[in-house]
Amino acid sequence: MTKKPAVAIYGLWPDLRAYTRQKLRKFLVTIHPDIIKLDELGPRTDFLAVFIESPVTKQVMAKLPHLKGVASMSTGYDHIDLVEAKKRKIPVSNVPSYGENTVAEHTFALMLALTRRLFDSAKRVKEGRYDFGGLRGVDLKGRTLGVIGTGHIGAHVIRIAKGFEMNVLAYDVRPKADLAKTLGFSYVTLPKLLKQSDIVTLHTPLFKENYHLLNKKTIALMKKGSYLINTARGALVEPAAVLGALNSGRLAGAGLDVLEDEKLLQNFEEVMHCKNNNCKLQTSLINNLLIDHPNTIITPHNAFNSTEALKRIIDVTAQNLEGFAAGHPINLVR
Ligand code: NAD
């Protein structure tokens, strides 16, 4: 009998274990509820399946001499050292489109929470004051939404925006003329989008080239009193620039599901025991100021987290692992 290939899965929630095991019957599966830890890696591992909290670094790959594939259980793959994987000829796959509606729906949850003052309104009633004074919001209808990145999620955001009768402008490094025609929106340059939009929402992957795409200079182009939504990746936005713009009133509000160096908010130990400049203390401080700011609503990288989306993630990850095992990888990242 041929040996089943060994898959190590990191960061999987206990309620999804049975479903995952059933989908991965062809594999010898080890499920770790926590993120990858260097000293707990099993050297016999053939394949890794990880969520974004588990960085697959050079050191991780060096500890797994049999590693033949890494399946990212997410769309984004900036937590995987692709240069090292390429060097070691280890294919890396992702789940390209499990969450287009899921993340787009969360984007609107953040948008509506800000524009309708939902958090303050609900808090006030819970505190025993049934009174709408000072809680006036703004309509989405007729406002201009600027969508940066018109891939799977961005396109779905545009579909929903059209349901709200919003005008849509978009910016993408690879514009899709057919999509613009079908959904009824226009591509413009990034500066024009920032100048003309009432709400700007980010839906691009994080690459070296677009690190802090929204920074002091670009945020200064945004309309006074506009809103910023980020459900893509924290490092697309310079945290200090957002804080400054909220304080000056350039931004009326920010709805963020992602923050730069958000891991430090989950694992405060890393900050406490930090010995060098890599610990990003400044970013941690600014993140906390953003969290406490009255005009922000911050969710803990939760946009992907729906029952349906997680099942789709596991289904596609199972296909990706089968692709590795058969020597025909699918959903390879760049
Ligand atoms: P996608 O690959 O389908 O689309 C990305 C789009 O961004 C493409 O059209 C691409 O051309 C464009 N793009 C790339 N670089 C750009 C740049 N510098 N400027 C403008 N446009 C650029 O990806 P997707 O499925 O729509 O997902 C987008 C991102 O959302 C993911 O990469 C991931 O980081 C993030 N995401 C977050 C969550 C969450 O839970 N918060 C969940 C899923 C995905």
PDB file of all heavy atoms in Angstrom, residues 272-302:
ATOM      1  N   MET A 272       6.199  43.068  23.909  1.00  0.00           N
ATOM      2  CA  MET A 272       6.814  43.105  25.238  1.00  0.00           C
ATOM      3  C   MET A 272       8.274  42.656  25.197  1.00  0.00           C
ATOM      4  O   MET A 272       9.113  43.188  25.903  1.00  0.00           O
ATOM      5  CB  MET A 272       6.062  42.171  26.201  1.00  0.00           C
ATOM      6  CG  MET A 272       4.613  42.541  26.401  1.00  0.00           C
ATOM      7  SD  MET A 272       4.434  44.042  27.313  1.00  0.00           S
ATOM      8  CE  MET A 272       4.743  43.439  28.957  1.00  0.00           C
ATOM      9  N   HIS A 273       8.553  41.635  24.368  1.00  0.00           N
ATOM     10  CA  HIS A 273       9.897  41.079  24.355  1.00  0.00           C
ATOM     11  C   HIS A 273      10.739  41.551  23.185  1.00  0.00           C
ATOM     12  O   HIS A 273      11.689  40.900  22.796  1.00  0.00           O
ATOM     13  CB  HIS A 273       9.817  39.542  24.365  1.00  0.00           C
ATOM     14  CG  HIS A 273       9.144  39.027  25.594  1.00  0.00           C
ATOM     15  ND1 HIS A 273       8.097  38.164  25.556  1.00  0.00           N
ATOM     16  CD2 HIS A 273       9.346  39.305  26.893  1.00  0.00           C
ATOM     17  CE1 HIS A 273       7.681  37.917  26.787  1.00  0.00           C
ATOM     18  NE2 HIS A 273       8.421  38.608  27.624  1.00  0.00           N
ATOM     19  N   CYS A 274      10.357  42.697  22.669  1.00  0.00           N
ATOM     20  CA  CYS A 274      11.042  43.148  21.476  1.00  0.00           C
ATOM     21  C   CYS A 274      12.422  43.710  21.813  1.00  0.00           C
ATOM     22  O   CYS A 274      12.572  44.477  22.754  1.00  0.00           O
ATOM     23  CB  CYS A 274      10.131  44.172  20.840  1.00  0.00           C
ATOM     24  SG  CYS A 274      10.897  45.602  20.323  1.00  0.00           S
ATOM     25  N   LYS A 275      13.408  43.249  21.010  1.00  0.00           N
ATOM     26  CA  LYS A 275      14.775  43.660  21.345  1.00  0.00           C
ATOM     27  C   LYS A 275      15.430  44.487  20.241  1.00  0.00           C
ATOM     28  O   LYS A 275      16.513  44.955  20.361  1.00  0.00           O
ATOM     29  CB  LYS A 275      15.628  42.414  21.590  1.00  0.00           C
ATOM     30  CG  LYS A 275      15.306  41.723  22.891  1.00  0.00           C
ATOM     31  CD  LYS A 275      16.413  40.730  23.245  1.00  0.00           C
ATOM     32  CE  LYS A 275      16.087  39.975  24.493  1.00  0.00           C
ATOM     33  NZ  LYS A 275      15.115  38.903  24.287  1.00  0.00           N
ATOM     34  N   ASN A 276      14.763  44.579  19.094  1.00  0.00           N
ATOM     35  CA  ASN A 276      15.400  45.321  18.006  1.00  0.00           C
ATOM     36  C   ASN A 276      14.373  46.224  17.340  1.00  0.00           C
ATOM     37  O   ASN A 276      13.239  46.337  17.791  1.00  0.00           O
ATOM     38  CB  ASN A 276      15.998  44.347  16.985  1.00  0.00           C
ATOM     39  CG  ASN A 276      14.945  43.376  16.507  1.00  0.00           C
ATOM     40  OD1 ASN A 276      13.796  43.749  16.327  1.00  0.00           O
ATOM     41  ND2 ASN A 276      15.317  42.126  16.323  1.00  0.00           N
ATOM     42  N   ASN A 277      14.776  46.840  16.259  1.00  0.00           N
ATOM     43  CA  ASN A 277      13.884  47.811  15.615  1.00  0.00           C
ATOM     44  C   ASN A 277      12.765  47.168  14.806  1.00  0.00           C
ATOM     45  O   ASN A 277      11.897  47.852  14.296  1.00  0.00           O
ATOM     46  CB  ASN A 277      14.695  48.723  14.691  1.00  0.00           C
ATOM     47  CG  ASN A 277      15.450  49.735  15.513  1.00  0.00           C
ATOM     48  OD1 ASN A 277      15.002  50.089  16.604  1.00  0.00           O
ATOM     49  ND2 ASN A 277      16.593  50.164  15.020  1.00  0.00           N
ATOM     50  N   ASN A 278      12.817  45.827  14.673  1.00  0.00           N
ATOM     51  CA  ASN A 278      11.803  45.177  13.850  1.00  0.00           C
ATOM     52  C   ASN A 278      10.458  45.053  14.550  1.00  0.00           C
ATOM     53  O   ASN A 278       9.516  44.534  13.999  1.00  0.00           O
ATOM     54  CB  ASN A 278      12.258  43.770  13.446  1.00  0.00           C
ATOM     55  CG  ASN A 278      13.430  43.850  12.534  1.00  0.00           C
ATOM     56  OD1 ASN A 278      13.553  44.827  11.817  1.00  0.00           O
ATOM     57  ND2 ASN A 278      14.291  42.853  12.566  1.00  0.00           N
ATOM     58  N   CYS A 279      10.396  45.485  15.792  1.00  0.00           N
ATOM     59  CA  CYS A 279       9.169  45.213  16.540  1.00  0.00           C
ATOM     60  C   CYS A 279       8.058  46.213  16.268  1.00  0.00           C
ATOM     61  O   CYS A 279       6.960  46.049  16.759  1.00  0.00           O
ATOM     62  CB  CYS A 279       9.459  45.100  18.019  1.00  0.00           C
ATOM     63  SG  CYS A 279      10.469  46.444  18.577  1.00  0.00           S
ATOM     64  N   LYS A 280       8.321  47.221  15.456  1.00  0.00           N
ATOM     65  CA  LYS A 280       7.271  48.117  14.989  1.00  0.00           C
ATOM     66  C   LYS A 280       6.430  48.698  16.125  1.00  0.00           C
ATOM     67  O   LYS A 280       5.212  48.659  16.097  1.00  0.00           O
ATOM     68  CB  LYS A 280       6.352  47.379  13.999  1.00  0.00           C
ATOM     69  CG  LYS A 280       7.061  46.584  12.941  1.00  0.00           C
ATOM     70  CD  LYS A 280       7.356  47.462  11.734  1.00  0.00           C
ATOM     71  CE  LYS A 280       8.160  46.742  10.704  1.00  0.00           C
ATOM     72  NZ  LYS A 280       7.538  46.368   9.558  1.00  0.00           N
ATOM     73  N   LEU A 281       7.113  49.204  17.128  1.00  0.00           N
ATOM     74  CA  LEU A 281       6.383  49.773  18.261  1.00  0.00           C
ATOM     75  C   LEU A 281       5.532  50.971  17.842  1.00  0.00           C
ATOM     76  O   LEU A 281       4.430  51.162  18.317  1.00  0.00           O
ATOM     77  CB  LEU A 281       7.366  50.210  19.348  1.00  0.00           C
ATOM     78  CG  LEU A 281       7.980  49.063  20.139  1.00  0.00           C
ATOM     79  CD1 LEU A 281       9.019  49.594  21.102  1.00  0.00           C
ATOM     80  CD2 LEU A 281       6.902  48.309  20.893  1.00  0.00           C
ATOM     81  N   GLN A 282       6.088  51.757  16.902  1.00  0.00           N
ATOM     82  CA  GLN A 282       5.359  52.948  16.481  1.00  0.00           C
ATOM     83  C   GLN A 282       4.037  52.562  15.803  1.00  0.00           C
ATOM     84  O   GLN A 282       2.990  53.139  16.081  1.00  0.00           O
ATOM     85  CB  GLN A 282       6.227  53.772  15.539  1.00  0.00           C
ATOM     86  CG  GLN A 282       5.656  55.148  15.326  1.00  0.00           C
ATOM     87  CD  GLN A 282       6.389  55.924  14.254  1.00  0.00           C
ATOM     88  OE1 GLN A 282       7.244  55.386  13.557  1.00  0.00           O
ATOM     89  NE2 GLN A 282       6.061  57.187  14.126  1.00  0.00           N
ATOM     90  N   THR A 283       4.110  51.562  14.922  1.00  0.00           N
ATOM     91  CA  THR A 283       2.887  51.120  14.239  1.00  0.00           C
ATOM     92  C   THR A 283       1.880  50.605  15.251  1.00  0.00           C
ATOM     93  O   THR A 283       0.684  50.866  15.139  1.00  0.00           O
ATOM     94  CB  THR A 283       3.200  50.011  13.206  1.00  0.00           C
ATOM     95  OG1 THR A 283       4.348  50.396  12.493  1.00  0.00           O
ATOM     96  CG2 THR A 283       2.068  49.784  12.251  1.00  0.00           C
ATOM     97  N   SER A 284       2.362  49.867  16.268  1.00  0.00           N
ATOM     98  CA  SER A 284       1.461  49.346  17.293  1.00  0.00           C
ATOM     99  C   SER A 284       0.754  50.475  18.020  1.00  0.00           C
ATOM    100  O   SER A 284      -0.446  50.408  18.275  1.00  0.00           O
ATOM    101  CB  SER A 284       2.233  48.545  18.337  1.00  0.00           C
ATOM    102  OG  SER A 284       2.703  47.387  17.775  1.00  0.00           O
ATOM    103  N   LEU A 285       1.519  51.504  18.337  1.00  0.00           N
ATOM    104  CA  LEU A 285       0.935  52.646  19.054  1.00  0.00           C
ATOM    105  C   LEU A 285      -0.118  53.317  18.172  1.00  0.00           C
ATOM    106  O   LEU A 285      -1.241  53.593  18.620  1.00  0.00           O
ATOM    107  CB  LEU A 285       2.042  53.634  19.433  1.00  0.00           C
ATOM    108  CG  LEU A 285       1.560  54.943  20.046  1.00  0.00           C
ATOM    109  CD1 LEU A 285       0.921  54.673  21.402  1.00  0.00           C
ATOM    110  CD2 LEU A 285       2.700  55.929  20.204  1.00  0.00           C
ATOM    111  N   ILE A 286       0.231  53.552  16.912  1.00  0.00           N
ATOM    112  CA  ILE A 286      -0.719  54.232  16.008  1.00  0.00           C
ATOM    113  C   ILE A 286      -1.958  53.353  15.802  1.00  0.00           C
ATOM    114  O   ILE A 286      -3.085  53.855  15.771  1.00  0.00           O
ATOM    115  CB  ILE A 286      -0.035  54.604  14.677  1.00  0.00           C
ATOM    116  CG1 ILE A 286       1.065  55.630  14.958  1.00  0.00           C
ATOM    117  CG2 ILE A 286      -1.045  55.176  13.688  1.00  0.00           C
ATOM    118  CD1 ILE A 286       1.974  55.922  13.799  1.00  0.00           C
ATOM    119  N   ASN A 287      -1.761  52.039  15.682  1.00  0.00           N
ATOM    120  CA  ASN A 287      -2.924  51.145  15.540  1.00  0.00           C
ATOM    121  C   ASN A 287      -3.867  51.313  16.725  1.00  0.00           C
ATOM    122  O   ASN A 287      -5.088  51.358  16.559  1.00  0.00           O
ATOM    123  CB  ASN A 287      -2.476  49.682  15.449  1.00  0.00           C
ATOM    124  CG  ASN A 287      -1.947  49.328  14.063  1.00  0.00           C
ATOM    125  OD1 ASN A 287      -2.183  50.063  13.099  1.00  0.00           O
ATOM    126  ND2 ASN A 287      -1.252  48.211  13.955  1.00  0.00           N
ATOM    127  N   ASN A 288      -3.302  51.404  17.908  1.00  0.00           N
ATOM    128  CA  ASN A 288      -4.155  51.566  19.092  1.00  0.00           C
ATOM    129  C   ASN A 288      -4.854  52.926  19.100  1.00  0.00           C
ATOM    130  O   ASN A 288      -6.007  53.019  19.521  1.00  0.00           O
ATOM    131  CB  ASN A 288      -3.350  51.331  20.371  1.00  0.00           C
ATOM    132  CG  ASN A 288      -3.208  49.842  20.632  1.00  0.00           C
ATOM    133  OD1 ASN A 288      -4.187  49.176  20.969  1.00  0.00           O
ATOM    134  ND2 ASN A 288      -2.033  49.286  20.404  1.00  0.00           N
ATOM    135  N   LEU A 289      -4.164  53.952  18.600  1.00  0.00           N
ATOM    136  CA  LEU A 289      -4.814  55.267  18.502  1.00  0.00           C
ATOM    137  C   LEU A 289      -5.952  55.217  17.478  1.00  0.00           C
ATOM    138  O   LEU A 289      -7.006  55.819  17.672  1.00  0.00           O
ATOM    139  CB  LEU A 289      -3.790  56.348  18.121  1.00  0.00           C
ATOM    140  CG  LEU A 289      -2.745  56.651  19.203  1.00  0.00           C
ATOM    141  CD1 LEU A 289      -1.652  57.573  18.670  1.00  0.00           C
ATOM    142  CD2 LEU A 289      -3.408  57.282  20.427  1.00  0.00           C
ATOM    143  N   LEU A 290      -5.733  54.463  16.397  1.00  0.00           N
ATOM    144  CA  LEU A 290      -6.798  54.315  15.391  1.00  0.00           C
ATOM    145  C   LEU A 290      -7.994  53.567  15.987  1.00  0.00           C
ATOM    146  O   LEU A 290      -9.146  53.931  15.774  1.00  0.00           O
ATOM    147  CB  LEU A 290      -6.276  53.557  14.163  1.00  0.00           C
ATOM    148  CG  LEU A 290      -5.387  54.345  13.200  1.00  0.00           C
ATOM    149  CD1 LEU A 290      -4.772  53.421  12.148  1.00  0.00           C
ATOM    150  CD2 LEU A 290      -6.184  55.456  12.505  1.00  0.00           C
ATOM    151  N   ILE A 291      -7.705  52.521  16.749  1.00  0.00           N
ATOM    152  CA  ILE A 291      -8.780  51.727  17.360  1.00  0.00           C
ATOM    153  C   ILE A 291      -9.613  52.609  18.298  1.00  0.00           C
ATOM    154  O   ILE A 291     -10.839  52.526  18.331  1.00  0.00           O
ATOM    155  CB  ILE A 291      -8.183  50.504  18.110  1.00  0.00           C
ATOM    156  CG1 ILE A 291      -7.628  49.493  17.097  1.00  0.00           C
ATOM    157  CG2 ILE A 291      -9.230  49.835  19.009  1.00  0.00           C
ATOM    158  CD1 ILE A 291      -6.748  48.414  17.708  1.00  0.00           C
ATOM    159  N   ASP A 292      -8.941  53.475  19.049  1.00  0.00           N
ATOM    160  CA  ASP A 292      -9.636  54.316  20.038  1.00  0.00           C
ATOM    161  C   ASP A 292     -10.289  55.555  19.423  1.00  0.00           C
ATOM    162  O   ASP A 292     -11.031  56.256  20.105  1.00  0.00           O
ATOM    163  CB  ASP A 292      -8.643  54.784  21.122  1.00  0.00           C
ATOM    164  CG  ASP A 292      -8.265  53.638  22.042  1.00  0.00           C
ATOM    165  OD1 ASP A 292      -9.007  52.640  22.064  1.00  0.00           O
ATOM    166  OD2 ASP A 292      -7.223  53.730  22.715  1.00  0.00           O
ATOM    167  N   HIS A 293      -9.982  55.843  18.170  1.00  0.00           N
ATOM    168  CA  HIS A 293     -10.492  57.084  17.568  1.00  0.00           C
ATOM    169  C   HIS A 293     -12.015  57.018  17.432  1.00  0.00           C
ATOM    170  O   HIS A 293     -12.558  55.992  17.025  1.00  0.00           O
ATOM    171  CB  HIS A 293      -9.844  57.292  16.185  1.00  0.00           C
ATOM    172  CG  HIS A 293      -9.951  58.688  15.700  1.00  0.00           C
ATOM    173  ND1 HIS A 293     -11.117  59.213  15.201  1.00  0.00           N
ATOM    174  CD2 HIS A 293      -9.046  59.694  15.670  1.00  0.00           C
ATOM    175  CE1 HIS A 293     -10.920  60.477  14.864  1.00  0.00           C
ATOM    176  NE2 HIS A 293      -9.661  60.792  15.142  1.00  0.00           N
ATOM    177  N   PRO A 294     -12.716  58.117  17.746  1.00  0.00           N
ATOM    178  CA  PRO A 294     -14.186  58.057  17.685  1.00  0.00           C
ATOM    179  C   PRO A 294     -14.745  57.846  16.276  1.00  0.00           C
ATOM    180  O   PRO A 294     -15.889  57.400  16.129  1.00  0.00           O
ATOM    181  CB  PRO A 294     -14.622  59.433  18.239  1.00  0.00           C
ATOM    182  CG  PRO A 294     -13.411  60.302  18.170  1.00  0.00           C
ATOM    183  CD  PRO A 294     -12.222  59.401  18.276  1.00  0.00           C
ATOM    184  N   ASN A 295     -13.954  58.169  15.243  1.00  0.00           N
ATOM    185  CA  ASN A 295     -14.500  58.064  13.879  1.00  0.00           C
ATOM    186  C   ASN A 295     -13.993  56.845  13.119  1.00  0.00           C
ATOM    187  O   ASN A 295     -13.914  56.854  11.890  1.00  0.00           O
ATOM    188  CB  ASN A 295     -14.180  59.338  13.089  1.00  0.00           C
ATOM    189  CG  ASN A 295     -14.868  60.540  13.692  1.00  0.00           C
ATOM    190  OD1 ASN A 295     -15.834  60.388  14.443  1.00  0.00           O
ATOM    191  ND2 ASN A 295     -14.374  61.727  13.398  1.00  0.00           N
ATOM    192  N   THR A 296     -13.601  55.812  13.842  1.00  0.00           N
ATOM    193  CA  THR A 296     -13.190  54.593  13.139  1.00  0.00           C
ATOM    194  C   THR A 296     -14.055  53.426  13.591  1.00  0.00           C
ATOM    195  O   THR A 296     -14.600  53.425  14.694  1.00  0.00           O
ATOM    196  CB  THR A 296     -11.721  54.202  13.440  1.00  0.00           C
ATOM    197  OG1 THR A 296     -11.587  53.935  14.840  1.00  0.00           O
ATOM    198  CG2 THR A 296     -10.754  55.262  13.010  1.00  0.00           C
ATOM    199  N   ILE A 297     -14.153  52.465  12.700  1.00  0.00           N
ATOM    200  CA  ILE A 297     -14.672  51.168  13.126  1.00  0.00           C
ATOM    201  C   ILE A 297     -13.675  50.133  12.602  1.00  0.00           C
ATOM    202  O   ILE A 297     -13.354  50.105  11.418  1.00  0.00           O
ATOM    203  CB  ILE A 297     -16.127  50.931  12.686  1.00  0.00           C
ATOM    204  CG1 ILE A 297     -16.567  49.523  13.087  1.00  0.00           C
ATOM    205  CG2 ILE A 297     -16.372  51.141  11.217  1.00  0.00           C
ATOM    206  CD1 ILE A 297     -18.038  49.415  13.357  1.00  0.00           C
ATOM    207  N   ILE A 298     -13.143  49.357  13.531  1.00  0.00           N
ATOM    208  CA  ILE A 298     -12.072  48.417  13.173  1.00  0.00           C
ATOM    209  C   ILE A 298     -12.541  47.006  13.513  1.00  0.00           C
ATOM    210  O   ILE A 298     -13.013  46.765  14.636  1.00  0.00           O
ATOM    211  CB  ILE A 298     -10.783  48.730  13.967  1.00  0.00           C
ATOM    212  CG1 ILE A 298     -10.499  50.230  13.915  1.00  0.00           C
ATOM    213  CG2 ILE A 298      -9.622  47.858  13.513  1.00  0.00           C
ATOM    214  CD1 ILE A 298      -9.310  50.735  13.260  1.00  0.00           C
ATOM    215  N   THR A 299     -12.419  46.115  12.553  1.00  0.00           N
ATOM    216  CA  THR A 299     -12.765  44.708  12.809  1.00  0.00           C
ATOM    217  C   THR A 299     -11.491  43.872  12.678  1.00  0.00           C
ATOM    218  O   THR A 299     -10.557  44.256  11.963  1.00  0.00           O
ATOM    219  CB  THR A 299     -13.870  44.220  11.842  1.00  0.00           C
ATOM    220  OG1 THR A 299     -13.496  44.537  10.490  1.00  0.00           O
ATOM    221  CG2 THR A 299     -15.206  44.882  12.164  1.00  0.00           C
ATOM    222  N   PRO A 300     -11.427  42.731  13.376  1.00  0.00           N
ATOM    223  CA  PRO A 300     -10.148  42.001  13.479  1.00  0.00           C
ATOM    224  C   PRO A 300      -9.862  41.052  12.305  1.00  0.00           C
ATOM    225  O   PRO A 300      -9.829  39.847  12.467  1.00  0.00           O
ATOM    226  CB  PRO A 300     -10.334  41.220  14.783  1.00  0.00           C
ATOM    227  CG  PRO A 300     -11.807  40.989  14.870  1.00  0.00           C
ATOM    228  CD  PRO A 300     -12.483  42.142  14.209  1.00  0.00           C
ATOM    229  N   HIS A 301      -9.671  41.590  11.121  1.00  0.00           N
ATOM    230  CA  HIS A 301      -9.420  40.804   9.910  1.00  0.00           C
ATOM    231  C   HIS A 301     -10.460  39.688   9.773  1.00  0.00           C
ATOM    232  O   HIS A 301     -10.133  38.507   9.677  1.00  0.00           O
ATOM    233  CB  HIS A 301      -7.999  40.217   9.901  1.00  0.00           C
ATOM    234  CG  HIS A 301      -7.524  39.940   8.503  1.00  0.00           C
ATOM    235  ND1 HIS A 301      -6.271  40.216   8.068  1.00  0.00           N
ATOM    236  CD2 HIS A 301      -8.175  39.420   7.436  1.00  0.00           C
ATOM    237  CE1 HIS A 301      -6.153  39.870   6.802  1.00  0.00           C
ATOM    238  NE2 HIS A 301      -7.309  39.376   6.398  1.00  0.00           N
ATOM    239  N   ASN A 302     -11.695  40.123   9.778  1.00  0.00           N
ATOM    240  CA  ASN A 302     -12.825  39.215   9.909  1.00  0.00           C
ATOM    241  C   ASN A 302     -13.671  39.146   8.640  1.00  0.00           C
ATOM    242  O   ASN A 302     -14.655  38.412   8.583  1.00  0.00           O
ATOM    243  CB  ASN A 302     -13.687  39.771  11.073  1.00  0.00           C
ATOM    244  CG  ASN A 302     -14.686  38.793  11.585  1.00  0.00           C
ATOM    245  OD1 ASN A 302     -14.403  37.613  11.659  1.00  0.00           O
ATOM    246  ND2 ASN A 302     -15.867  39.281  11.919  1.00  0.00           N
TER     247      ASN A 302
END
